[in-house]
């Protein structure tokens, strides 16, 4: 083979193992060119989405270059939504589903989501999160997990995969070998999971074993250090974890996808190009990139890094070809799955809202205080969310309450404003609520000191206030009337508003 022909073949192999994002609601020319040159996958984010119909046109244009193109999306439903980022998800997330603990309901919600994604032309969903949220201070998983019990998480991981794939969209269990027991957000730095192998086997691995048994054909690696298996390299870059643990011990023979390779957990030490090479060498078959770095130059940089690594001996051509082969095999399988799937539109005010309502829990004090008969003042305490949650995605209870009780007023308060003294709870929360109901909306109050303090102060001043917690339930205000939604999706906000204005049990 001539050197130019070999170079061209290497470039094609390198392109085929990337899953890049791009900017815009139409396919840019460079993406179309790269698909023609061997790019086998793309990933969509909220910046690419206006409506299901628009995404369907976009994916059809992309597939005109390659009918088997893998079109991925990071759509978990609940707090992490891309297909409904502008409105908030019409389905609750994992924690709400795990709280209800009805596997048939979880399967139905996932199937409903799958029908919407398939109609849009998506063939791979980076979901479900199979992480067991065993650390309540976890800054990046939280309500994205089905819960803290490995059996519950395993049961609903299985149901979610079956539901999604019944609609023709491939699932992807993440973040292997389990991102639930960490205290650092891997978007910014490298978290560690210091447990021993026996504890990991009992706590973190069961949902992934269940996912493999349920027929999942893609697993996403997590950017976390697991010293029990590899004291030096995070899972995404560790052959001991990706090959030794995932492939040999768990018996997984499908596609290994990296978490976003531009995340600080791996790029701080190795750079985006170095991390990409190390990931493929370790056993990653498809490198997800473009949540943040979505330019043509990024793809060119990574292709150059991979081809240079082969010619320089850092990455074997056999490993790159193996990864490309797995991508091609997955592409063929997922195209067949998509063709056989059940099409249809989202259920709208259907199964997602049913599930969200079933996930609501009330304390006795809340039951006694409801329903609200006068328009309340709503104080929404807004944390800084992790990067997986779109900043543009609406959440809360004020808007759906306003629809049901005209005259409802609201304010959204951030911790920085309280710390800087630019906002005072007395003037923005208590004074407008004089002579009317006060509803306090929190989101992981137990994990945010400023929020917990605000809830405590407000309920001390207004013992009749009702607290709606949209994150992980805590024990901050035991005596207060509390409503727990177990997630902050739009569906969960509507469910809370319905409970606040209606005596019917959720």
């Amino acid at each position: 083979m001539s050197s130019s022909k070999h170079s061209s073949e290497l470039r094609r192999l390198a392109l085929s193992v990337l899953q890049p994002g791009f900017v815009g609601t139409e396919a840019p020319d460079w993406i179309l060119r790269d698909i023609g040159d061997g790019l086998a996958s793309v990933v969509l984010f909220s910046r690419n989405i206006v409506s299901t119909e628009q995404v369907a046109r976009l994916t059809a244009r992309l597939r005109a270059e390659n009918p088997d193109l893998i079109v991925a999306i990071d759509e978990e439903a609940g707090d992490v939504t891309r297909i409904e980022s502008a409105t908030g998800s019409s389905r609750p997330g994992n924690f709400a589903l795990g709280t209800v603990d009805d596997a048939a309901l979880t399967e139905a919600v996932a199937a409903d989501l799958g029908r919407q994604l398939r109609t849009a032309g998506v063939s791979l969903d980076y979901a479900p999160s199979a992480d067991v949220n065993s650390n309540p201070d976890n800054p990046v998983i939280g309500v994205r997990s089905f819960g803290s019990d490995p059996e519950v998480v395993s049961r609903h991981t299985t149901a979610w995969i079956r539901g999604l794939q019944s609609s023709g969209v491939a699932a992807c269990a993440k973040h292997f070998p389990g991102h639930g027991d960490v205290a650092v957000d891997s978007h910014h730095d490298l978290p560690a999971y210091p447990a021993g192998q026996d504890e990991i086997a009992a706590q973190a691995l069961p949902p992934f074993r269940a996912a493999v048994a349920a027929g999942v054909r893609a697993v996403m690696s997590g950017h976390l250090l697991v010293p029990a298996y590899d004291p030096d390299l995070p899972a995404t870059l560790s052959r001991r974890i990706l090959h030794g643990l995932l492939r040999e011990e768990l018996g997984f023979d499908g596609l290994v996808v990296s978490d976003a390779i531009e995340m600080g957990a791996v790029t701080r030490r190795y750079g985006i190009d170095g991390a990409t090479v190390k990931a493929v060498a370790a056993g990653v078959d498809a490198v997800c990139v473009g949540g943040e770095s979505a330019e043509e130059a990024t793809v060119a940089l990574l292709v150059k890094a991979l081809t240079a690594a082969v010619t320089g001996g850092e990455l074997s051509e056999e490993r790159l070809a193996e990864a490309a082969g797995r991508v091609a095999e997955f592409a063929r399988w997922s195209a067949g799955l998509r063709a056989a799937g059940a099409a249809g539109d989202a259920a709208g005010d259907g199964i997602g809202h049913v599930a969200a309502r079933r996930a609501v829990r009330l304390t006795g004090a809340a039951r006694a205080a409801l329903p609200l008969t006068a328009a309340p003042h709503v104080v929404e305490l807004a944390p800084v969310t992790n990067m997986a949650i779109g900043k543009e995605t609406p959440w809360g209870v004020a808007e759906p309450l306003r629809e049901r009780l005209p005259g409802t007023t609201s304010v959204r308060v951030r911790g920085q404003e309280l710390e800087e003294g630019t906002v005072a709870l007395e003037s923005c929360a208590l004074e407008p609520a004089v002579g009317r109901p006060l509803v306090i909306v929190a989101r992981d109050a137990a994990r945010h000191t400023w929020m917990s303090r605000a809830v405590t102060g407000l309920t001390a001043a207004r013992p009749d206030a009702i607290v709606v917690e949209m994150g992980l339930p805590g024990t901050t205000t035991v005596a207060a009337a509390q409503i727990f939604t177990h997630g902050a999706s739009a569906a969960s906000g509507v469910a809370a508003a319905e409970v606040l204005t209606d005596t019917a049990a959720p």
Side-chain angles (χ1 to χ4, degrees), residues 18-35:
L18 300 180
Q19 294 194 339
F22 56 90
V23 176
T25 55
E26 296 185 1
D29 289 341
W30 69 268
I31 277 283
L32 298 175
R33 282 197 306 272
D34 280 352
I35 294 170

Side-chain angles (χ1 to χ4, degrees), residues 16-68:
S16 74
V17 302
L18 300 180
Q19 294 194 339
F22 56 90
V23 176
T25 55
E26 296 185 1
D29 289 341
W30 69 268
I31 277 283
L32 298 175
R33 282 197 306 272
D34 280 352
I35 294 170
D37 289 345
L39 185 69
S41 317
V42 297
V43 56
L44 304 180
F45 293 93
S46 55
R47 62 178 175 240
N48 306 119
I49 294 166
V50 175
S51 66
T52 302
E53 296 73 24
Q54 167 265 325
V55 178
R57 291 192 297 272
L58 169 61
T59 56
R61 178 67 188 93
L62 293 165
R63 286 209 175 92
E65 304 297 321
N66 173 9
D68 286 351

Side-chain angles (χ1 to χ4, degrees), residues 306-319:
L306 288 166
T307 55
V310 171
T311 56
E314 186 181 353
L315 172 64
S316 74
E317 188 169 346
E318 291 75 18
R319 167 79 274 268

Side-chain angles (χ1 to χ4, degrees), residues 27-187:
D29 289 341
W30 69 268
I31 277 283
L32 298 175
R33 282 197 306 272
D34 280 352
I35 294 170
D37 289 345
L39 185 69
S41 317
V42 297
V43 56
L44 304 180
F45 293 93
S46 55
R47 62 178 175 240
N48 306 119
I49 294 166
V50 175
S51 66
T52 302
E53 296 73 24
Q54 167 265 325
V55 178
R57 291 192 297 272
L58 169 61
T59 56
R61 178 67 188 93
L62 293 165
R63 286 209 175 92
E65 304 297 321
N66 173 9
D68 286 351
L69 182 76
I70 300 165
V71 178
I73 196 169
D74 186 22
E75 174 61 54
E76 299 176 15
D79 290 25
V80 178
T81 179
R82 311 297 177 220
I83 200 76
E84 296 183 291
S85 65
T87 58
S89 178
S90 58
R91 305 168 185 92
N94 285 1
F95 188 52
L97 294 171
T99 297
V100 177
D101 199 12
D102 178 347
L105 179 68
T106 295
E107 186 168 340
V109 170
D112 180 56
L113 173 62
R115 287 190 293 273
Q116 183 181 14
L117 294 180
R118 182 185 178 276
T119 299
V122 171
S123 55
L124 169 62
D125 187 8
Y126 295 151
S129 167
D131 306 295
V132 179
N133 197 59
S134 45
N135 183 350
D137 289 328
N138 192 319
V140 70
I141 301 299
V143 295
R144 298 168 66 192
S145 166
F146 289 111
S148 57
D149 182 337
E151 288 189 16
V152 170
V153 177
S154 296
R155 184 159 56 246
H156 291 277
T157 293
T158 295
W160 217 94
I161 290 166
R162 286 180 177 160
L164 188 75
Q165 295 192 165
S166 74
S167 294
V169 177
C172 178
K174 64 185 184 185
H175 308 79
F176 189 81
H179 212 303
D181 194 8
V182 302
V184 171
D185 184 345
S186 52
H187 289 92

